[in-house]
C-alpha cells in the first residue's frame, strides 16, 4: 500500500473513531431522555392523585420544566445525529477515492478481526427465555462446495466495486465489545456492493428490528357499531388510553425480541443476522460443526457427559447449552421475520442458516474471519444471492406446544366480598355482567396443575391501555405491568404470549386468585378479568390497581409488619404457597385497612404442607426484620 493510500486509511479510521464517539454521546442522551420521561410519568401520577389545587399547580410547573428539559435533550440528540450524518458523508467521499476492484477482488477480501484478549467472555450472550418457535429437526447444511463454485464464478474482469471491507474492520477493537459495529460495517459495504452488482434490486438492512408475535389480522371483536366507537373514544379521552394503538401496546408490553439485523430485498424480508459477543468457535483452528451442539448434546446443565459433543468440542456443558439457545434464538427470529435464511456470528466465526416450512433447520460449517477458505465475504454474498433468487413463501409455522382450543362457557362473576372502595363504585360490574366488551370467543385451557380455565377473548381496544405513564413496572419475571381500564375502573394488566411459561404462570395466578376469593380487597387485589386478547394470541390477567408503594420504600411500622404476616397466613389458610416472597410483591396501600396487599401469584403452589408454609413465613419475618432495623 502506497503512502497516499495509507494516509487515506488513517483519515478514514479517524472519522470512524469520531462517529463511534458520537454514537456513545447519542446513547448517553437517549438514556437521559428516558430518565426525564420516567420523571414526567411520576409527576403525572402525583398530579392525578393530588387533591390540593395549589400543590397540583406546582406539580404541573415541575412537569412543564421536565418537558422543556426533554425538548432540549431531543435538540441535542438531533444535533449529534446531524454531525454524525456529516461524518458519514465524509466517509462516502473518502470511499469515492478508493481503487476499484472486480467482484472477485471484493469477495476475496479478508474480514480482519483482532484476536480476542484474554479475560474476555468466552460464552455467547443469549437470553434464557423460552422460545415460541423451535426447529423440529436440525441438520448439517453442506454448502461449502456450492460457495466455492460461486467463488470461482465471480467476475475477475469488470472493475466496478470499491475495495473497502478490510479497512472498515481492521481498526475496530473487540475489547470495546464492538462486534455489532464490525458486522454493521460489513452489512453497509455489502449494500453498496449489491447496489452496483444488481442495481435492479432494492437491497436494504435495518438494525435492532422489533419482531412481533401478534399476527397482523383484523380483530373480529372490533366489529362494533358507531355508538360503541363513540363511547370508546369518550372513554379514551377521559383515561388517556388510545384505542387505535391498543393492539400494538399489548405487543409492546410483552417485551418483543429485537433482531440485530434484518436484510430486505425488494421491500421483503430476506434474511436475519444475529450477532454474539464471542463463544461461537475456538480461538484457534477451524470453526465448529455447530449443528452437532443441537443434535448430539446430552449434557445436563451444570454437569458434564464424557460422550457428549460438548466434550468433543472442548467446551463445558454450560457453553453447549448457550450454543443451543443461540440456535433456537436465531430460528425464532427467522420464523417471526418469515424468512428462510439467517446468519449467526460473533464477527470471528460465521454460520449460515437455512430453514423450511416443515420446521427443519440446516446449519453450515463455520467460516473463519481473517483468512479462512472460502472467504467470509464469499459465503455471505452467496447467501444473499440465493435469498434474492428464492421466491418461496416462508411462514412462521406452528408455535411451540400449540394445541387446538375448545370452546366453553364464560368465566364466573367477580366477587362482591370486598372492603375496598371499588365495591361501592356504581360503574363497577363483575365479569359476568353486561358490559361494553365487544363480541367474544371463549376457549378452555388446562393448567399444568390440572385446573381448567375458560378464557374469553377480549379486544385489545377494550383493555383501554393508558398510553402516557401507563407502565407500572418492567422489572421482574412477569414482564411489563400496565395500567388499563375495564368495567369502569382502573386495572393492572399483565400479558404473555399463549403457550409460554409466562402464560402458564398467569393462568396459575388466576387459579390462585379463585382459591383466595374471600381475601379479595382485604389481603390480595381483586381479580377483575382474565382471558385472551389479540385474536387469542396473548393471555392477560387484570386485577384492581393498588394505590400504594412497594414494601420497604417507606418505613415499615409495627402495623405493616403485623398486616404482612396476617396476609401471608391468610394465603396459607387457603391452601396456597406464594412461592416468591419478595419486597416487590408486597404493597403498602394508602388509606386502607389492613394496610398491606400481597401480589404476583405466578409461582404459587397448591399445598397444605405446614413445613413449607412455615419456611415461607420465616422468609417474610426475616425480610421484615431486616427492613425495620
Amino acid at each position: 500500500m502506497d503512502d497516499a493510500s495509507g494516509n487515506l486509511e488513517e483519515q478514514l479510521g479517524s472519522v470512524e473513531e469520531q462517529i463511534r464517539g458520537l454514537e456513545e454521546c447519542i446513547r448517553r442522551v437517549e438514556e437521559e431522555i428516558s430518565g426525564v420521561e420516567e420523571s414526567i410519568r411520576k409527576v403525572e401520577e402525583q398530579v392525578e392523585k393530588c387533591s390540593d389545587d395549589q400543590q397540583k399547580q406546582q406539580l404541573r410547573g415541575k412537569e412543564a420544566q421536565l418537558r422543556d428539559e426533554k425538548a432540549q435533550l431531543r435538540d441535542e440528540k438531533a444535533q449529534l445525529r446531524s454531525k454524525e450524518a456529516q461524518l458519514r458523508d465524509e466517509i462516502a467521499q473518502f470511499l469515492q477515492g478508493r481503487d476499484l476492484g472486480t467482484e472477485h477482488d471484493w469477495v476475496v477480501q479478508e474480514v480482519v478481526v483482532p484476536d480476542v484478549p484474554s479475560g474476555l467472555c468466552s460464552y455467547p450472550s443469549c437470553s434464557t427465555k423460552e422460545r415460541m418457535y423451535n426447529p423440529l429437526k436440525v441438520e448439517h447444511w453442506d454448502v461449502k462446495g456450492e460457495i466455492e463454485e460461486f467463488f470461482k464464478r465471480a467476475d475477475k474482469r469488470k472493475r466496478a466495486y470499491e475495495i473497502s471491507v478490510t479497512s472498515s474492520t481492521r481498526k475496530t477493537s473487540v475489547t470495546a465489545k464492538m462486534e455489532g459495529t464490525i458486522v454493521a460495517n460489513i452489512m453497509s459495504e455489502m449494500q453498496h456492493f449489491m447496489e452496483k452488482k444488481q442495481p435492479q434490486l432494492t437491497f436494504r438492512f435495518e438494525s435492532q428490528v422489533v419482531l412481533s408475535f401478534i399476527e397482523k389480522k383484523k380483530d373480529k371483536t372490533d366489529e362494533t357499531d358507531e355508538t360503541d366507537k363513540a363511547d370508546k373514544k369518550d372513554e379514551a379521552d377521559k383515561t388517556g388510553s388510545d384505542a387505535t394503538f391498543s393492539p400494538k401496546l399489548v405487543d409492546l408490553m410483552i417485551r418483543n425480541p429485537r433482531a440485530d439485523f434484518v436484510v430486505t430485498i425488494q421491500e421483503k424480508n430476506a434474511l436475519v443476522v444475529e450477532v454474539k459477543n464471542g463463544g461461537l468457535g475456538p480461538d484457534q483452528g477451524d470453526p465448529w460443526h455447530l449443528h452437532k451442539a443441537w443434535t448430539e448434546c446430552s449434557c445436563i446443565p451444570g454437569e458434564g457427559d464424557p460422550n457428549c459433543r460438548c466434550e468433543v468440542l472442548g467446551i463445558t456443558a454450560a457453553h453447549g447449552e448457550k450454543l443451543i439457545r443461540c440456535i433456537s434464538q436465531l430460528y425464532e427470529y427467522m420464523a417471526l421475520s418469515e424468512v428462510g435464511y439467517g446468519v449467526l456470528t460473533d464477527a470471528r466465526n460465521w454460520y449460515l442458516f437455512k430453514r423450511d416450512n416443515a420446521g427443519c433447520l440446516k446449519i453450515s460449517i463455520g467460516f473463519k474471519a481473517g483468512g479462512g477458505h472460502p472467504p467470509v465475504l464469499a459465503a455471505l454474498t452467496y447467501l444473499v444471492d440465493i435469498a434474492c433468487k428464492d421466491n418461496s413463501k416462508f411462514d412462521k409455522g406452528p408455535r411451540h406446544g400449540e394445541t387446538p382450543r375448545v370452546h366453553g362457557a364464560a368465566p364466573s362473576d367477580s366477587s362482591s366480598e370486598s372492603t375496598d372502595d371499588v365495591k361501592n363504585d356504581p360503574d363497577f360490574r363483575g365479569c359476568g355482567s353486561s358490559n361494553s366488551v365487544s363480541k367474544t370467543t371463549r376457549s378452555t385451557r388446562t393448567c399444568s396443575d390440572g385446573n381448567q380455565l375458560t378464557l374469553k377473548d377480549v379486544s385489545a381496544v377494550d383493555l383501554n391501555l393508558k398510553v402516557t405513564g401507563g407502565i407500572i413496572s418492567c422489572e421482574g419475571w412477569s414482564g411489563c405491568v400496565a395500567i388499563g381500564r375495564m368495567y369502569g375502573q382502573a386495572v393492572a394488566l399483565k400479558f404473555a404470549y399463549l403457550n409460554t411459561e409466562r402464560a402458564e404462570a398467569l393462568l396459575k395466578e388466576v387459579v390462585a386468585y379463585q382459591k383466595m376469593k374471600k381475601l379479595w380487597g382485604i389481603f390480595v387485589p381483586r381479580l377483575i378479568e382474565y382471558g385472551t386478547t389479540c385474536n387469542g394470541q396473548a393471555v392477560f390477567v387484570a386485577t384492581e390497581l393498588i394505590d400504594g408503594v412497594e414494601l420497604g420504600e417507606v418505613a415499615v411500622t409495627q402495623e405493616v409488619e403485623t398486616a404482612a404476616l396476617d396476609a401471608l397466613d391468610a394465603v396459607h389458610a387457603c391452601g396456597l404457597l406464594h412461592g416468591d416472597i419478595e419486597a416487590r410483591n408486597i404493597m403498602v396501600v394508602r388509606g386502607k385497612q389492613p394496610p398491606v396487599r400481597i401480589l404476583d401469584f405466578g409461582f404459587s403452589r397448591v399445598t397444605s404442607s405446614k413445613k413449607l408454609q412455615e419456611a415461607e413465613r420465616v422468609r417474610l419475618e426475616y425480610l421484615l426484620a431486616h427492613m425495620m432495623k
Side-chain angles (χ1 to χ4, degrees), residues 343-609:
V343 177
L344 181 64
T345 179
D346 57 6
R348 291 165 289 277
N349 305 281
W350 299 71
Y351 299 88
L352 310 185
F353 281 46
K354 177 182 178 181
R355 77 176 184 103
D356 60 25
N357 287 325
C360 178
L361 175 66
K362 294 187 176 183
I363 306 175
S364 74
I365 189 172
F367 297 92
K368 201 80 170 179
H373 188 80
V376 166
L377 287 181
L380 293 178
T381 308
Y382 167 79
L383 189 68
V384 169
D385 185 71
I386 61 172
C388 289
K389 297 175 180 176
D390 193 339
N391 294 318
S392 304
K393 180 176 175 55
F394 296 96
D395 55 31
K396 293 182 179 179
R399 295 182 178 184
H400 177 63
E402 190 165 44
T403 54
R405 295 193 291 276
V406 181
H407 295 289
S412 59
D413 292 351
S414 293
S415 169
S416 60
E417 301 178 26
S418 172
T419 60
D420 277 11
D421 294 343
V422 183
K423 173 183 174 182
N424 301 315
D425 185 346
D427 293 326
F428 172 73
R429 295 186 290 272
C431 300
S433 306
S434 61
N435 52 62
S436 63
V437 177
S438 311
K439 298 177 183 179
T440 60
T441 58
R442 298 181 176 90
S443 60
T444 302
R445 308 294 295 184
T446 302
C447 302
S448 59
D449 54 12
N451 290 283
Q452 195 173 65
L453 295 173
T454 301
L455 304 183
K456 177 170 62 176
D457 194 63
V458 179
S459 168
V461 173
D462 291 319
L463 301 178
N464 295 300
L465 288 165
K466 188 174 180 182
V467 177
T468 304
I471 303 296
I472 299 173
S473 170
C474 269
E475 299 177 359
W477 191 82
S478 297
C480 286
V481 183
I483 298 174
R485 192 168 184 84
M486 299 187 75
Y487 312 117
Q489 72 172 100
V491 295
L493 286 156
K494 294 181 184 179
F495 300 95
Y497 293 119
L498 203 63
N499 300 315
T500 62
E501 290 179 1
R502 284 189 173 88
E504 178 69 23
L506 289 186
L507 297 180
K508 285 179 68 177
E509 195 160 359
V510 170
V511 172
Y513 275 115
Q514 290 177 338
K515 290 182 178 296
M516 300 183 296
K517 201 168 185 179
K518 63 183 180 182
L519 305 183
W520 290 4
I522 304 173
F523 289 125
V524 300
R526 180 185 291 106
L527 176 64
I528 303 301
E529 183 63 286
Y530 64 90
T532 59
T533 189
C534 297
N535 296 293
Q537 297 178 78
V539 174
F540 78 91
V541 172
T543 57
E544 65 174 312
L545 186 64
I546 301 298
D547 180 14
V549 296
E550 187 179 291
L551 182 68
E553 288 188 8
V554 295
V556 177
T557 64
Q558 187 67 49
E559 180 187 22
V560 169
E561 179 191 31
T562 301
L565 292 170
D566 288 347
L568 185 60
D569 289 342
V571 170
H572 290 165
C574 294
L576 288 170
L577 198 69
H578 183 277
D580 190 24
I581 290 296
E582 299 287 349
R584 65 176 180 273
N585 294 330
I586 301 173
M587 294 287 287
V588 179
V589 296
R590 299 181 178 94
K592 304 289 183 182
Q593 288 297 327
V596 163
R597 299 288 185 274
I598 297 182
L599 316 174
D600 292 339
F601 288 84
F603 291 99
S604 62
R605 291 170 53 190
V606 178
T607 179
S608 298
S609 169

Side-chain angles (χ1 to χ4, degrees), residues 122-139:
S122 60
Y123 286 8
S125 55
C126 191
S127 167
T128 58
K129 67 170 285 187
E130 181 192 23
R131 297 293 165 188
M132 288 288 289
Y133 297 92
N134 276 310
L136 301 178
K137 184 179 182 182
V138 176
E139 298 177 345

Side-chain angles (χ1 to χ4, degrees), residues 47 61 156 260 285 341 458 594:
V47 170
K156 298 181 181 180
D260 288 329
Y341 303 94
V458 179

Side-chain angles (χ1 to χ4, degrees), residues 8 82 133 151 168 217 222 240 295 329-330 354 391 430 486 531 533 628:
L8 187 63
S82 177
Y133 297 92
F151 178 56
S168 69
K217 56 185 178 182
D222 287 342
T295 59
Q329 179 186 16
L330 179 54
K354 177 182 178 181
N391 294 318
M486 299 187 75
T533 189
M628 293 178 72

Side-chain angles (χ1 to χ4, degrees), residues 17-269:
E17 187 63 34
Q18 292 179 58
I19 289 175
R20 285 194 287 272
L22 283 173
E23 289 175 341
E24 183 60 36
C25 290
I26 290 170
R27 280 194 290 270
R28 176 184 57 78
V29 172
E30 287 175 340
E31 288 176 0
E32 291 183 25
I33 290 173
S34 298
V36 172
E37 288 175 339
E38 178 64 19
S39 298
I40 291 172
R41 183 185 69 79
K42 290 180 178 178
V43 171
E44 286 177 337
E45 291 178 353
Q46 292 174 0
V47 170
E48 288 181 2
K49 296 173 183 177
C50 182
S51 58
D52 183 89
D53 291 339
Q54 185 176 359
Q55 187 177 359
K56 186 177 288 188
Q57 190 65 29
Q58 292 175 349
L59 288 169
R60 291 199 183 279
K62 183 178 179 181
E63 180 184 352
Q65 292 176 357
L66 288 169
R67 291 194 182 280
D68 287 342
E69 184 181 347
K70 179 181 176 181
Q72 291 173 5
L73 287 169
R74 287 191 178 278
D75 289 342
E76 182 181 351
K77 179 182 175 182
Q79 292 173 7
L80 291 169
R81 287 288 188 196
S82 177
K83 191 171 182 181
E84 180 189 12
Q86 292 174 4
L87 290 172
R88 291 195 182 279
D89 288 341
E90 285 186 34
I91 287 182
Q93 292 174 7
F94 286 144
L95 293 179
Q96 288 178 359
R98 290 185 178 279
D99 291 336
L100 296 181
T102 65
E103 178 185 5
H104 183 274
D105 292 334
W106 196 90
V107 298
V108 80
Q109 293 178 90
E110 287 187 14
V111 176
V112 180
V113 180
D115 293 334
V116 183
S118 59
L120 266 181
C121 176
S122 60
Y123 286 8
S125 55
C126 191
S127 167
T128 58
K129 67 170 285 187
E130 181 192 23
R131 297 293 165 188
M132 288 288 289
Y133 297 92
N134 276 310
L136 301 178
K137 184 179 182 182
V138 176
E139 298 177 345
H140 173 56
W141 185 13
D142 188 9
V143 73
K144 189 173 181 179
E146 297 173 27
I147 295 173
E148 289 177 342
E149 283 298 317
F150 175 83
F151 178 56
K152 290 177 183 177
R153 293 196 305 270
D155 183 11
K156 298 181 181 180
R157 295 184 178 182
K158 184 180 178 181
R159 301 179 65 81
Y161 307 103
E162 295 165 350
I163 307 301
S164 49
V165 169
T166 298
S167 65
S168 69
T169 62
R170 177 182 291 120
K171 296 183 180 181
T172 305
S173 173
V174 175
T175 57
K177 296 185 178 179
M178 299 299 288
E179 291 90 347
T181 301
I182 294 173
V183 176
N185 288 336
I186 292 172
M187 296 303 297
S188 179
E189 298 301 334
M190 175 72 75
Q191 179 176 327
H192 297 322
F193 172 73
M194 291 300 299
E195 286 173 349
K196 287 198 172 184
K197 181 181 178 182
Q198 295 179 272
Q200 74 278 10
L201 293 179
T202 304
F203 180 98
R204 297 286 184 270
F205 75 95
E206 293 183 44
S207 61
Q208 295 300 306
V209 179
V210 177
L211 305 177
S212 173
F213 285 95
I214 302 297
E215 294 182 12
K216 303 299 184 290
K217 56 185 178 182
K218 185 177 180 181
D219 191 339
K220 295 179 181 179
T221 60
D222 287 342
E223 298 172 359
T224 56
D225 59 28
E226 294 301 320
T227 303
D228 285 342
K229 290 179 180 177
D231 291 343
K232 292 180 188 301
K233 185 178 186 304
D234 292 340
E235 181 74 6
D237 292 340
K238 293 177 184 177
T239 62
S241 64
D242 184 347
T244 61
F245 193 53
S246 289
K248 296 180 182 178
L249 279 175
V250 172
D251 216 9
L252 184 65
M253 301 296 181
I254 316 181
R255 292 181 173 181
N256 282 334
R258 291 175 181 264
D260 288 329
F261 299 98
V262 174
V263 173
T264 60
I265 299 173
Q266 298 297 76
E267 309 302 328
K268 179 184 175 182
N269 289 348

